[in-house]
PDB file of all heavy atoms in Angstrom:
ATOM      1  N   SER A 136       2.633   0.694 -10.455  1.00 97.00           N
ATOM      2  CA  SER A 136       2.484   2.045 -10.309  1.00 97.00           C
ATOM      3  C   SER A 136       3.786   2.618  -9.676  1.00 97.00           C
ATOM      4  O   SER A 136       4.291   3.670 -10.093  1.00 97.00           O
ATOM      5  CB  SER A 136       1.206   2.441  -9.545  1.00 97.00           C
ATOM      6  OG  SER A 136       1.138   3.864  -9.436  1.00 97.00           O
ATOM      7  N   GLU A 137       4.213   1.912  -8.593  1.00 97.00           N
ATOM      8  CA  GLU A 137       5.437   2.311  -7.971  1.00 97.00           C
ATOM      9  C   GLU A 137       6.696   2.283  -8.890  1.00 97.00           C
ATOM     10  O   GLU A 137       7.554   3.096  -8.869  1.00 97.00           O
ATOM     11  CB  GLU A 137       5.711   1.437  -6.794  1.00 97.00           C
ATOM     12  CG  GLU A 137       4.762   1.627  -5.611  1.00 97.00           C
ATOM     13  CD  GLU A 137       4.771   0.372  -4.675  1.00 97.00           C
ATOM     14  OE1 GLU A 137       5.673  -0.385  -4.661  1.00 97.00           O
ATOM     15  OE2 GLU A 137       3.660   0.241  -4.023  1.00 97.00           O
ATOM     16  N   MET A 138       6.635   1.271  -9.826  1.00 97.00           N
ATOM     17  CA  MET A 138       7.726   1.080 -10.704  1.00 97.00           C
ATOM     18  C   MET A 138       7.732   2.200 -11.742  1.00 97.00           C
ATOM     19  O   MET A 138       8.739   2.567 -12.422  1.00 97.00           O
ATOM     20  CB  MET A 138       7.616  -0.225 -11.521  1.00 97.00           C
ATOM     21  CG  MET A 138       7.719  -1.478 -10.734  1.00 97.00           C
ATOM     22  SD  MET A 138       7.305  -2.932 -11.791  1.00 97.00           S
ATOM     23  CE  MET A 138       6.946  -4.157 -10.503  1.00 97.00           C
ATOM     24  N   GLY A 139       6.606   2.899 -11.983  1.00 96.00           N
ATOM     25  CA  GLY A 139       6.478   3.886 -13.054  1.00 96.00           C
ATOM     26  C   GLY A 139       6.289   3.286 -14.442  1.00 96.00           C
ATOM     27  O   GLY A 139       6.568   3.959 -15.481  1.00 96.00           O
ATOM     28  N   GLU A 140       5.815   2.019 -14.512  1.00 96.00           N
ATOM     29  CA  GLU A 140       5.607   1.362 -15.721  1.00 96.00           C
ATOM     30  C   GLU A 140       4.333   1.688 -16.455  1.00 96.00           C
ATOM     31  O   GLU A 140       3.386   2.217 -15.704  1.00 96.00           O
ATOM     32  CB  GLU A 140       5.685  -0.129 -15.617  1.00 96.00           C
ATOM     33  CG  GLU A 140       7.061  -0.671 -15.083  1.00 96.00           C
ATOM     34  CD  GLU A 140       8.043  -0.800 -16.159  1.00 96.00           C
ATOM     35  OE1 GLU A 140       7.773  -0.432 -17.282  1.00 96.00           O
ATOM     36  OE2 GLU A 140       9.109  -1.393 -15.867  1.00 96.00           O
ATOM     37  N   ASP A 141       4.149   1.572 -17.677  1.00 97.00           N
ATOM     38  CA  ASP A 141       2.936   1.774 -18.395  1.00 97.00           C
ATOM     39  C   ASP A 141       2.032   0.488 -18.105  1.00 97.00           C
ATOM     40  O   ASP A 141       2.296  -0.581 -18.632  1.00 97.00           O
ATOM     41  CB  ASP A 141       3.209   1.768 -19.886  1.00 97.00           C
ATOM     42  CG  ASP A 141       1.899   2.088 -20.750  1.00 97.00           C
ATOM     43  OD1 ASP A 141       0.843   1.620 -20.434  1.00 97.00           O
ATOM     44  OD2 ASP A 141       2.036   2.801 -21.770  1.00 97.00           O
ATOM     45  N   ILE A 142       1.044   0.638 -17.206  1.00 97.00           N
ATOM     46  CA  ILE A 142       0.273  -0.474 -16.699  1.00 97.00           C
ATOM     47  C   ILE A 142      -0.534  -1.096 -17.844  1.00 97.00           C
ATOM     48  O   ILE A 142      -0.458  -2.373 -17.905  1.00 97.00           O
ATOM     49  CB  ILE A 142      -0.507  -0.013 -15.457  1.00 97.00           C
ATOM     50  CG1 ILE A 142       0.458   0.283 -14.277  1.00 97.00           C
ATOM     51  CG2 ILE A 142      -1.538  -1.112 -15.066  1.00 97.00           C
ATOM     52  CD1 ILE A 142      -0.133   0.901 -13.162  1.00 97.00           C
ATOM     53  N   PRO A 143      -1.394  -0.423 -18.522  1.00 97.00           N
ATOM     54  CA  PRO A 143      -2.151  -1.132 -19.639  1.00 97.00           C
ATOM     55  C   PRO A 143      -1.240  -1.806 -20.588  1.00 97.00           C
ATOM     56  O   PRO A 143      -1.495  -2.987 -20.946  1.00 97.00           O
ATOM     57  CB  PRO A 143      -2.838   0.024 -20.254  1.00 97.00           C
ATOM     58  CG  PRO A 143      -2.992   1.073 -19.323  1.00 97.00           C
ATOM     59  CD  PRO A 143      -1.773   1.054 -18.479  1.00 97.00           C
ATOM     60  N   LYS A 144      -0.039  -1.268 -20.954  1.00 97.00           N
ATOM     61  CA  LYS A 144       0.899  -1.936 -21.858  1.00 97.00           C
ATOM     62  C   LYS A 144       1.403  -3.182 -21.207  1.00 97.00           C
ATOM     63  O   LYS A 144       1.513  -4.171 -21.861  1.00 97.00           O
ATOM     64  CB  LYS A 144       2.101  -0.971 -22.179  1.00 97.00           C
ATOM     65  CG  LYS A 144       3.053  -1.683 -23.071  1.00 97.00           C
ATOM     66  CD  LYS A 144       4.284  -0.634 -23.277  1.00 97.00           C
ATOM     67  CE  LYS A 144       5.387  -1.282 -24.054  1.00 97.00           C
ATOM     68  NZ  LYS A 144       6.486  -0.335 -24.259  1.00 97.00           N
ATOM     69  N   ALA A 145       1.792  -3.152 -19.955  1.00 98.00           N
ATOM     70  CA  ALA A 145       2.308  -4.356 -19.205  1.00 98.00           C
ATOM     71  C   ALA A 145       1.218  -5.403 -19.173  1.00 98.00           C
ATOM     72  O   ALA A 145       1.469  -6.570 -19.412  1.00 98.00           O
ATOM     73  CB  ALA A 145       2.737  -3.994 -17.903  1.00 98.00           C
ATOM     74  N   ILE A 146      -0.016  -5.032 -18.876  1.00 98.00           N
ATOM     75  CA  ILE A 146      -1.151  -6.047 -18.847  1.00 98.00           C
ATOM     76  C   ILE A 146      -1.261  -6.618 -20.219  1.00 98.00           C
ATOM     77  O   ILE A 146      -1.458  -7.934 -20.291  1.00 98.00           O
ATOM     78  CB  ILE A 146      -2.452  -5.312 -18.360  1.00 98.00           C
ATOM     79  CG1 ILE A 146      -2.416  -4.939 -16.913  1.00 98.00           C
ATOM     80  CG2 ILE A 146      -3.698  -6.213 -18.626  1.00 98.00           C
ATOM     81  CD1 ILE A 146      -3.565  -4.107 -16.432  1.00 98.00           C
ATOM     82  N   ARG A 147      -1.236  -5.917 -21.291  1.00 98.00           N
ATOM     83  CA  ARG A 147      -1.424  -6.430 -22.618  1.00 98.00           C
ATOM     84  C   ARG A 147      -0.261  -7.465 -22.931  1.00 98.00           C
ATOM     85  O   ARG A 147      -0.441  -8.480 -23.517  1.00 98.00           O
ATOM     86  CB  ARG A 147      -1.514  -5.349 -23.703  1.00 98.00           C
ATOM     87  CG  ARG A 147      -2.737  -4.467 -23.523  1.00 98.00           C
ATOM     88  CD  ARG A 147      -2.850  -3.551 -24.696  1.00 98.00           C
ATOM     89  NE  ARG A 147      -3.972  -2.582 -24.418  1.00 98.00           N
ATOM     90  CZ  ARG A 147      -3.815  -1.416 -23.933  1.00 98.00           C
ATOM     91  NH1 ARG A 147      -2.679  -0.843 -23.714  1.00 98.00           N
ATOM     92  NH2 ARG A 147      -4.890  -0.560 -23.774  1.00 98.00           N
ATOM     93  N   TYR A 148       0.957  -6.995 -22.545  1.00 98.00           N
ATOM     94  CA  TYR A 148       2.103  -7.948 -22.859  1.00 98.00           C
ATOM     95  C   TYR A 148       1.938  -9.243 -22.123  1.00 98.00           C
ATOM     96  O   TYR A 148       2.028 -10.341 -22.824  1.00 98.00           O
ATOM     97  CB  TYR A 148       3.388  -7.225 -22.502  1.00 98.00           C
ATOM     98  CG  TYR A 148       4.591  -8.147 -22.837  1.00 98.00           C
ATOM     99  CD1 TYR A 148       5.174  -7.966 -24.115  1.00 98.00           C
ATOM    100  CD2 TYR A 148       5.215  -8.931 -21.934  1.00 98.00           C
ATOM    101  CE1 TYR A 148       6.333  -8.756 -24.429  1.00 98.00           C
ATOM    102  CE2 TYR A 148       6.249  -9.719 -22.200  1.00 98.00           C
ATOM    103  CZ  TYR A 148       6.796  -9.641 -23.477  1.00 98.00           C
ATOM    104  OH  TYR A 148       7.907 -10.419 -23.877  1.00 98.00           O
ATOM    105  N   PHE A 149       1.762  -9.317 -20.833  1.00 98.00           N
ATOM    106  CA  PHE A 149       1.717 -10.486 -20.044  1.00 98.00           C
ATOM    107  C   PHE A 149       0.370 -11.180 -20.281  1.00 98.00           C
ATOM    108  O   PHE A 149       0.369 -12.397 -20.257  1.00 98.00           O
ATOM    109  CB  PHE A 149       2.105 -10.223 -18.575  1.00 98.00           C
ATOM    110  CG  PHE A 149       3.484  -9.712 -18.455  1.00 98.00           C
ATOM    111  CD1 PHE A 149       3.803  -8.383 -18.160  1.00 98.00           C
ATOM    112  CD2 PHE A 149       4.521 -10.552 -18.553  1.00 98.00           C
ATOM    113  CE1 PHE A 149       5.139  -8.005 -17.976  1.00 98.00           C
ATOM    114  CE2 PHE A 149       5.860 -10.124 -18.340  1.00 98.00           C
ATOM    115  CZ  PHE A 149       6.144  -8.881 -18.023  1.00 98.00           C
TER     116      PHE A 149
END
Side-chain angles (χ1 to χ4, degrees):
S136 181
E137 294 160 22
M138 295 176 201
E140 298 280 7
D141 183 325
I142 289 171
K144 177 182 177 180
I146 289 174
R147 293 186 187 100
Y148 182 87
F149 294 104

